[in-house]
Amino acid sequence: MSLLRLPVLLLASALLGGCAAQSTEAPQELNLTVLHVNDHHSNLLPKQRTLSWGGQQWQVNSGGFARVAKQIELLRKQHDNVLTLHAGDAITGSLFFTLFGNEVDAQVMNKVCFDAFTIGNHEFDKGDAGLKEFLDKLGTPACPTAKLSANVKPALGVSPLTPASMSDSFSPYAVFQRGGHSVGVVGLTIAKKTKKSSQPDATTEFEDELSAARRAITELQSKGIEKIVLLSHIQYARDLELVTQLSAVDVVIGGDSHTLLGDFSEFGMEAAGPYPTVINNADGETVCLAHAYQYSQVVGELQVQFNGDQVASCGGRPHFLLGQEIQPTEGSVTTLEPIKAALKQSGVFSFVKPDSQVQGLLNDYQEKVQDFSGEVLARVPETICSQEIDRPRRSGCADVISSGAHRITAEAFLHAVPEADFALQNGGGVRGDIKAGEFTIGDAFSILPFANTLVSIEITGSQLKQVLEEALAYSVSDGGSTRAYPYGAGIRYSVDLTQSYGDRVSDIQIWDKESDRWQSMQLQESYTAVTNSFVAGGQDGYQTFYELTEQGRANNTGIDYAKALAEFAREQGTLERPDEFATQAYRGRD
């Protein structure tokens, strides 16, 4: 909903010393519009998705950064006092990043012209130097995007981010003038996950989010700034928790958890909460919290009405971006007007044409992407789903406790490194389904989009048990990542997360190639593991792998992990849904 704009109040000053003078003070009321996105992950093109409505399934064309740009342009024209914010994880996740690095993301973001951007964990996927390169490209003289994080602490004089001062590349906060008011925006980066699940330099530290936020807010208040926005890349659930411990915060624009907010139930989509989510801070004052889903699909339009320095009301809506192309998945209809009318009236979907300039820029790069990605490697009779272990099974996926896409990936690792006894793959390294139809080189690099190679590691049975316990502990820890969960091939085990650390993994077995059967893992026996270089470096909590690597017991094969999947698919010719998985039994936390 759009909030009523209130007039600026001009206050006449008293006549002093016989001289008439006037001064203008800031009005008490401010209607602030915050336009925001998060976690687009180099996903710059539209996607096909299925909606349920009227007893039918409908195929729609949704999102894409050209639509994001157009929607933001349209909303800016409709409102005064606009802030345009990006809550992090702009890069890594598609062939645009695989082939061109951060170049395309920076260009399209500059076309939109964000007022501020907070650093996400994936911005560190190519180390401090990679982040520095991206931040240098982000913003122009005409569009000076503020780059923010209050809790990222690179080593001064050591990190490329901070060669001379701590503010060389980014700042803890920025201050914007809107409607005669100062609005402070504080950046936050998820600390533990970034340190353990990305590739920051070893000397770069990450302060606790709460402590950093308190310090930045105190600094803003010391400057007389009381309207405060957190631009937060720390996950929706942790935003909810953090706000209750903070004074003075008014607005939170978040990311990292890819959270959909709003009422999408009429169309068969489940959201995590209302848009906006209204909560109270440590002072008992109203806070407006909003996230905007993922992958260039949604633009958030948050409306905040301030009375003085406190939030009087929160409003607004998400804009889930759609094209005009809608088709039933089965059968035919005489008219599309009923579903189009329902979508328009939903308050959560918006039909929008792509911005021509951004689309033209993307078209130039897309031709190169298509040239690289078009070769067909294999046939896929049924979609092989990527399913997180602790989530409900998805419709159209095999009804198993584990993930078929992760299993295929682990099998590809064993195929590429045949001397290995087993393969392990962390959950977060596989970024999509292996869809039914033709499987191409582009599909392999889209599913495995990061700059990882395969690493073989010599490991004993007792060390393997420790590795699995570490991964599970990280997957359930505060500030960790469920995507640390281990998937594999040539190995199987049972998991019980109700047990204490050290007792969560049991019945570990390794496939013995000589006897062609499963053998119980022996604590003193030596084995060869193969995994991706991210995990081998100790990220996602795999600390023992890191220690073994430091001891010289690891060998980086130099084989790109996406190329390993591509070659496996080429040799197989057909990729079938697997019926065996590493996780034999699973009990989650009660």
Side-chain angles (χ1 to χ4, degrees):
M1 98 188 143
S2 177
L3 298 176
L4 181 65
R5 296 187 185 89
L6 298 177
V8 176
L9 301 178
L10 298 178
L11 302 179
S13 67
L15 295 179
L16 298 175
C19 298
Q22 286 191 336
S23 67
T24 302
E25 296 183 5
Q28 283 294 302
E29 293 82 9
L30 170 67
N31 291 328
L32 180 69
T33 299
V34 185
L35 308 180
H36 60 101
V37 300
N38 55 271
D39 296 275
H40 82 257
H41 280 291
S42 302
N43 281 252
L44 305 176
L45 299 180
K47 296 183 180 295
Q48 295 294 317
R49 67 182 304 120
T50 301
L51 303 177
S52 298
W53 183 81
Q56 281 187 275
Q57 300 289 102
W58 303 85
Q59 196 78 18
V60 298
N61 184 274
S62 65
F65 219 87
R67 286 197 178 102
V68 168
K70 190 64 176 181
Q71 185 66 60
I72 289 175
E73 177 191 344
L74 293 171
L75 292 171
R76 279 176 175 152
K77 292 178 179 178
Q78 295 174 20
H79 301 291
D80 300 323
N81 307 322
V82 174
L83 277 176
T84 308
L85 306 178
H86 193 305
D89 274 3
I91 60 174
T92 76
S94 81
L95 282 173
F96 283 100
F97 186 78
T98 301
L99 297 179
F100 309 111
N102 53 47
E103 174 184 330
V104 192
D105 292 292
Q107 289 191 49
V108 296
M109 289 175 69
N110 288 341
K111 291 286 187 183
V112 169
C113 189
F114 290 94
D115 291 304
F117 166 79
T118 201
I119 297 169
N121 52 297
H122 281 286
E123 267 70 65
F124 280 99
D125 279 357
K126 290 195 173 182
D128 287 24
L131 174 55
K132 170 68 171 174
E133 178 187 300
F134 177 55
L135 296 181
D136 284 348
K137 293 176 182 175
L138 190 59
T140 67
C143 171
T145 299
K147 283 82 77 169
L148 305 177
S149 181
N151 64 316
V152 175
K153 305 296 180 184
L156 182 62
V158 176
S159 169
L161 292 163
T162 51
S165 75
M166 295 302 289
S167 59
D168 285 338
S169 302
F170 60 92
S171 302
Y173 56 80
V175 178
F176 299 91
Q177 300 300 318
R178 294 293 185 271
H181 295 256
S182 296
V183 180
V185 179
V186 178
L188 286 179
T189 304
I190 189 165
K192 184 176 180 181
K193 182 179 178 182
T194 307
K195 188 67 174 178
K196 295 293 185 181
S197 298
S198 193
Q199 304 282 0
D201 289 5
T203 55
T204 295
E205 298 298 329
F206 296 84
E207 185 182 359
D208 170 74
E209 298 96 334
L210 178 60
S211 299
R214 281 176 172 163
R215 186 182 60 256
I217 289 169
T218 299
E219 288 185 23
L220 286 168
Q221 290 182 301
S222 71
K223 299 176 181 181
I225 298 165
E226 294 288 349
K227 296 177 177 65
I228 296 174
V229 177
L230 290 187
L231 187 54
S232 158
H233 192 85
I234 69 167
Q235 304 177 357
Y236 180 66
R238 299 186 74 229
D239 281 332
L240 293 171
E241 179 183 353
L242 186 73
V243 165
T244 64
Q245 303 172 70
L246 286 174
S247 297
V249 64
D250 300 300
V251 176
V252 180
I253 300 298
D256 189 61
S257 51
H258 298 214
T259 299
L260 181 66
L261 297 179
D263 185 1
F264 293 82
S265 57
E266 182 183 357
F267 301 91
M269 296 170 64
E270 185 176 344
Y275 184 104
T277 300
V278 182
I279 52 179
N280 292 329
N281 63 21
D283 302 319
E285 299 167 349
T286 300
V287 176
C288 311
L289 167 61
H291 284 229
Y293 196 37
Q294 62 181 4
Y295 303 155
S296 305
Q297 296 288 293
V298 171
V299 170
E301 178 193 356
L302 178 64
Q303 302 287 342
V304 185
Q305 184 180 47
F306 286 93
N307 185 5
D309 288 324
Q310 293 186 7
V311 172
S313 65
C314 310
R317 54 164 291 186
H319 294 265
F320 204 116
L321 307 173
L322 297 179
Q324 294 290 335
E325 308 86 353
I326 301 176
Q327 293 294 332
T329 56
E330 294 182 1
S332 59
V333 293
T334 56
T335 178
L336 296 174
E337 290 309 309
I339 184 173
K340 286 189 174 182
L343 289 165
K344 289 176 182 177
Q345 295 165 11
S346 67
V348 290
F349 288 98
S350 293
F351 289 94
V352 61
K353 295 180 180 179
D355 178 87
S356 58
Q357 281 193 335
V358 174
Q359 190 61 58
L361 187 156
L362 291 174
N363 288 344
D364 292 340
Y365 288 98
Q366 191 177 356
E367 290 181 12
K368 299 172 185 176
V369 170
Q370 290 173 338
D371 290 342
F372 170 81
S373 64
E375 182 185 354
V376 176
L377 303 171
R379 185 177 64 89
V380 183
E382 299 176 289
T383 294
I384 304 170
C385 292
S386 172
Q387 303 188 108
E388 291 190 40
I389 198 82
D390 60 343
R391 300 290 178 86
R393 302 298 90 191
R394 291 162 49 205
S395 175
C397 299
D399 187 20
V400 296
I401 63 171
S402 199
S403 169
H406 288 80
R407 173 68 182 199
I408 292 290
T409 298
E411 288 179 3
F413 291 2
L414 281 179
H415 178 266
V417 186
E419 64 270 23
D421 297 300
F422 62 90
L424 289 176
Q425 166 64 41
N426 62 314
V430 176
R431 304 300 275 195
D433 298 339
I434 300 173
K435 295 180 180 178
E438 295 179 336
F439 186 77
T440 66
I441 287 179
D443 293 327
F445 277 86
S446 294
I447 291 167
L448 303 179
F450 305 114
N452 288 323
T453 54
L454 297 185
V455 177
S456 62
I457 303 174
E458 297 303 316
I459 189 170
T460 66
S462 61
Q463 291 164 338
L464 170 59
K465 173 73 158 64
Q466 180 70 12
V467 163
L468 296 174
E469 291 284 352
E470 289 167 347
L472 289 170
Y474 187 74
S475 74
V476 299
S477 66
D478 181 45
S481 172
T482 58
R483 291 178 169 180
Y485 190 90
Y487 301 82
I491 187 172
R492 61 188 191 185
Y493 40 81
S494 296
V495 171
D496 185 351
L497 291 176
T498 66
Q499 299 298 312
S500 301
Y501 178 84
D503 296 319
R504 289 169 171 161
V505 186
S506 62
D507 195 25
I508 304 173
Q509 297 179 316
I510 307 296
W511 182 256
D512 183 70
K513 297 174 184 175
E514 291 187 6
S515 62
D516 205 31
R517 63 189 180 92
W518 291 103
Q519 300 274 13
S520 294
M521 182 269 294
Q522 301 299 311
L523 292 176
Q524 303 306 316
E525 188 76 25
S526 182
Y527 302 96
T528 301
V530 61
T531 189
N532 63 69
S533 53
F534 174 82
V535 167
Q539 304 296 349
D540 263 4
Y542 289 76
Q543 179 65 21
T544 296
F545 271 163
Y546 169 75
E547 293 171 359
L548 293 173
T549 299
E550 289 294 290
Q551 293 168 18
R553 294 171 61 184
N555 172 48
N556 193 324
T557 67
I559 300 169
D560 185 285
Y561 82 149
K563 288 182 180 177
L565 177 59
E567 290 306 312
F568 178 73
R570 192 196 309 275
E571 184 163 312
Q572 296 297 307
T574 300
L575 295 178
E576 302 278 359
R577 275 184 181 171
D579 53 14
E580 293 185 357
F581 301 90
T583 303
Q584 297 292 289
Y586 177 83
R587 183 179 181 184
R589 292 177 292 178
D590 293 338

